[in-house]
């Protein structure tokens, strides 16, 4: 019998980056809400911050490390504190935010980051009567966004038309702690204050499975779907010990596995990597990240290691697999929020070879969507479209998010609205077409320079008045 379980992730180790690669002087939000306060993608890191007179979050290009100036532009359209943010998995410049002002807003970030504060969202989604604490994009269908509020309501939106197409209102009798899509986005699982974990088919609006008292403690739970369809939960025992458990939705009465951890009172935020089957647990207020590998052999959830630091974490961002450096055998990257800064933490599998390690990097979910929103609402499902990371991830051009509001006065059957601009058309090979494109670009640059010159002149005039 083997004494030590074989696993290529046994020696995964974490390392915080040097100080000059952190994002400094950020006033991280102090709002009492158990979300991660940070969202990351291969281009930007977004952090919810303290803001007077409303709610705001920062969006920083990943390379903009060091001290962040107090006057750095923010995304500041909400009238109440922002509670949750989520990057669109199919467009690295689109981010959704939920707020205490009961609205969900979807924003388009310019390609090179913000140059001035952004207060006009692409679309405002209004339908909740209390604060919106959870926003999460559909993993495989374009422009489908789920939001959950303290009115115990889950709404699924077609962002392309600005419509709420599914309302799950009588399912949860109390506050919803977490919502998670499964791998192809056909089901969601929720954790609720009534201590139940539910598996819901959102299009049929029916509960497929539910488990009462998944964790018996009164403090918040979290539930996430794993790649094989099982559910991983974190919560508290009756003795206020932190627990994690694994469930099979087909037979949810008995857990596959339960682990007691410790008696700290911070909520455990789970981050899951479907490619390696590793779950990372970050407790709010903890100063450590624990990670576990999930396999088919007992005890199913295997403790790997703990990454510890001195400072407690206020929140945590988790980078998508396509944003990692495969040459350094990096299998996860976290963005840890302190009180006044954001610190990247890199998880690495030590390997001697410099070659691409295909056992660490199976094909992963890419940025292309498998379905349009209408197809998903009509009942189709699509698995994530996978990409290879062998030569590193090269981001493509992102489409602009276009919202086409439907005319309510027209009673004609609604046409299928094209809600995203066509992808940047391939430049035709004829020289005339190329010349046209170049001329258009020159004209837009001239316009931009003209508007900037006017702005500079106006500012100079104002400065001269102040000097006088």
């Amino acid at each position: 019998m083997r004494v030590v379980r074989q696993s290529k992730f046994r020696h995964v180790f974490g390392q915080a980056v040097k100080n000059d690669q952190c994002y400094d002087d950020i006033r991280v939000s102090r709002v009492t809400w158990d979300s991660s306060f940070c969202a990351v993608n291969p281009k930007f890191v977004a952090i919810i911050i303290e803001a007077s007179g409303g709610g705001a979050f920062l969006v920083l290009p990943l390379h903009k490390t060091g001290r962040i100036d107090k006057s750095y532009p923010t995304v500041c359209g909400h009238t109440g504190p922002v509670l949750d943010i989520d990057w669109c998995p199919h467009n690295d410049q689109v981010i959704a935010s939920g707020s205490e002002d009961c609205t969900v807003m979807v924003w388009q970030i310019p390609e090179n980051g913000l140059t001035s504060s952004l207060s006009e969202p692409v679309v405002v989604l209004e339908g909740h009567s209390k604060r919106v604490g959870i926003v999460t994009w559909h993993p495989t269908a374009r422009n489908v966004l789920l939001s959950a509020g303290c009115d115990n309501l889950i709404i699924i939106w077609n962002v392309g038309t600005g419509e709420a197409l599914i309302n799950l209102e009588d399912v949860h009798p109390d506050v919803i702690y977490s919502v998670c899509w499964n791998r192809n986005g056909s089901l969601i699982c929720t954790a609720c204050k009534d201590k139940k974990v539910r598996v819901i088919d959102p299009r049929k609006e029916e509960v497929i499975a539910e488990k009462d008292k998944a964790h018996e403690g009164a403090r918040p739970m979290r539930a996430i779907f794993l790649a094989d369809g099982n559910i991983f939960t974190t919560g508290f025992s009756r003795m206020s010990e932190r627990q994690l458990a694994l469930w099979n939705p087909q037979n949810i009465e008995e857990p596959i596995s339960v682990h007691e951890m410790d008696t700290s009172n911070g909520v455990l935020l789970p981050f899951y990597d479907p490619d390696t089957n590793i779950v990372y647990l970050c407790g709010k207020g903890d100063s450590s990240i624990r990670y576990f590998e999930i396999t088919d052999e007992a005890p199913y959830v295997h403790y790997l290691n703990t990454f510890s630091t001195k400072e407690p974490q206020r929140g945590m961002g988790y980078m998508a697999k396509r944003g990692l450096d495969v040459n350094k055998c990096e299998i996860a990257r976290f963005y840890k929020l302190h009180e006044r800064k954001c610190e990247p933490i890199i998880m690495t599998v030590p390997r001697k070879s410099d070659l691409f390690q295909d056992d660490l990097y199976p094909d992963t979910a890419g940025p292309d969507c498998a379905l349009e929103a209408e197809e998903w609402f009509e009942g189709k499902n699509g698995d994530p479209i996978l990409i290879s990371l062998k030569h590193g991830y090269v981001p493509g051009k992102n489409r602009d998010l276009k919202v086409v509001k439907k005319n309510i006065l027209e009673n004609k059957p609604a046409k299928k609205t094209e809600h995203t601009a066509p992808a940047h058309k391939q430049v035709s090979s004829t020289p005339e077409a190329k010349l046209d494109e170049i001329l258009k670009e020159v004209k837009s640059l001239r316009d931009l320079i003209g508007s900037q010159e006017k702005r500079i002149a106006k500012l100079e005039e104002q400065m001269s008045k102040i000097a006088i």
Side-chain angles (χ1 to χ4, degrees), residues 398-433:
N398 283 312
R399 308 165 164 213
D400 281 353
L401 174 65
K402 290 275 192 290
V403 176
V404 183
K405 292 277 176 91
K406 288 189 177 169
N407 188 347
I408 303 158
L409 301 175
E410 286 182 18
N411 290 329
K412 296 172 195 165
K415 290 177 191 162
K416 202 170 179 185
T417 51
E418 178 56 37
H419 52 265
T420 38
H424 291 274
K425 291 179 185 132
Q426 289 296 314
V427 179
S428 34
S429 48
T430 61
E432 290 87 358

Side-chain angles (χ1 to χ4, degrees), residues 104-157:
V104 175
M105 293 185 181
V106 179
W107 310 84
Q108 174 103 27
I109 306 298
E111 184 147 3
N112 299 316
L114 296 173
T115 49
S116 59
S117 284
L118 187 60
S119 56
E120 287 297 314
V122 181
V123 64
V124 180
L125 306 172
E126 295 174 309
H128 288 283
S129 58
K130 289 189 180 171
R131 61 187 183 164
V132 183
I134 297 169
V135 287
T136 175
W137 292 91
H138 191 286
T140 60
R142 191 196 316 278
N143 289 351
V144 176
L145 177 67
L146 178 149
S147 64
C150 289
D151 47 7
N152 312 336
L153 176 64
I154 290 178
I155 301 179
I156 299 177
W157 309 84

Side-chain angles (χ1 to χ4, degrees), residues 119-353:
S119 56
E120 287 297 314
V122 181
V123 64
V124 180
L125 306 172
E126 295 174 309
H128 288 283
S129 58
K130 289 189 180 171
R131 61 187 183 164
V132 183
I134 297 169
V135 287
T136 175
W137 292 91
H138 191 286
T140 60
R142 191 196 316 278
N143 289 351
V144 176
L145 177 67
L146 178 149
S147 64
C150 289
D151 47 7
N152 312 336
L153 176 64
I154 290 178
I155 301 179
I156 299 177
W157 309 84
N158 180 347
V159 175
T161 59
E163 292 177 295
L165 292 185
I166 295 172
N167 278 353
L168 302 173
E169 48 193 337
D170 297 324
V171 181
H172 299 90
D174 215 327
V175 176
I176 301 161
Y177 287 140
S178 78
V179 183
C180 177
W181 295 97
N182 68 348
R183 183 108 164 117
N184 69 358
S186 58
L187 301 173
I188 56 174
C189 72
T190 66
C192 178
K193 196 175 179 180
D194 66 356
K195 300 185 185 175
K196 287 188 181 179
V197 169
R198 294 173 173 84
V199 180
I200 300 165
D201 183 328
R203 289 169 295 191
K204 292 182 182 165
E205 301 188 16
E206 65 180 49
V207 178
I208 289 174
E210 69 176 17
K211 169 63 181 156
D212 193 15
K213 292 189 178 164
H215 296 278
E216 297 199 358
R219 292 189 53 72
M221 291 193 294
R222 285 279 183 282
I224 56 168
F225 263 116
L226 304 181
D228 59 4
N230 285 344
I231 291 170
F232 181 89
T233 61
T234 66
F236 291 80
S237 70
R238 201 181 297 149
M239 308 301 292
S240 288
E241 286 178 308
R242 293 201 288 195
Q243 289 181 322
L244 49 100
L246 192 61
W247 311 83
N248 178 351
Q250 267 77 49
N251 180 18
I252 206 163
E253 280 315 301
E254 285 301 314
I256 299 171
S257 159
V258 179
H259 286 247
E260 309 277 325
M261 279 177 49
D262 56 17
T263 51
S264 177
N265 60 1
V267 176
L268 285 168
L269 304 176
F271 296 95
Y272 173 61
D273 177 2
D275 304 334
T276 57
N277 246 353
I278 296 180
V279 173
Y280 301 86
L281 298 183
C282 309
K284 269 207 146 177
D286 286 12
S287 51
S288 61
I289 301 172
R290 293 178 178 85
Y291 33 108
F292 297 81
E293 186 179 0
I294 295 171
T295 65
D296 297 334
E297 56 185 71
Y300 307 106
V301 180
H302 306 271
Y303 171 74
L304 288 172
N305 210 336
T306 301
F307 167 78
S308 295
T309 52
K310 291 174 188 159
E311 296 286 318
Q313 55 229 17
R314 296 279 294 279
M316 195 67 82
Y318 178 62
M319 175 65 84
K321 206 59 174 285
R322 57 197 171 91
L324 302 179
D325 186 345
V326 295
N327 299 321
K328 292 181 181 165
C329 294
E330 182 183 1
I331 61 159
R333 192 188 312 153
F334 291 93
Y335 286 72
K336 173 180 170 177
L337 300 187
H338 299 243
E339 209 156 313
R340 301 283 303 186
K341 76 170 179 180
C342 171
E343 175 186 45
I345 292 166
I346 291 167
M347 299 283 181
T348 312
V349 176
R351 290 280 166 99
K352 286 178 180 168
S353 166

Side-chain angles (χ1 to χ4, degrees), residues 2-14:
R2 282 203 311 264
V3 180
V4 178
R5 190 181 67 89
Q6 288 295 308
S7 167
K8 54 191 166 217
F9 304 113
R10 251 180 61 211
H11 302 293
V12 171
F13 69 97

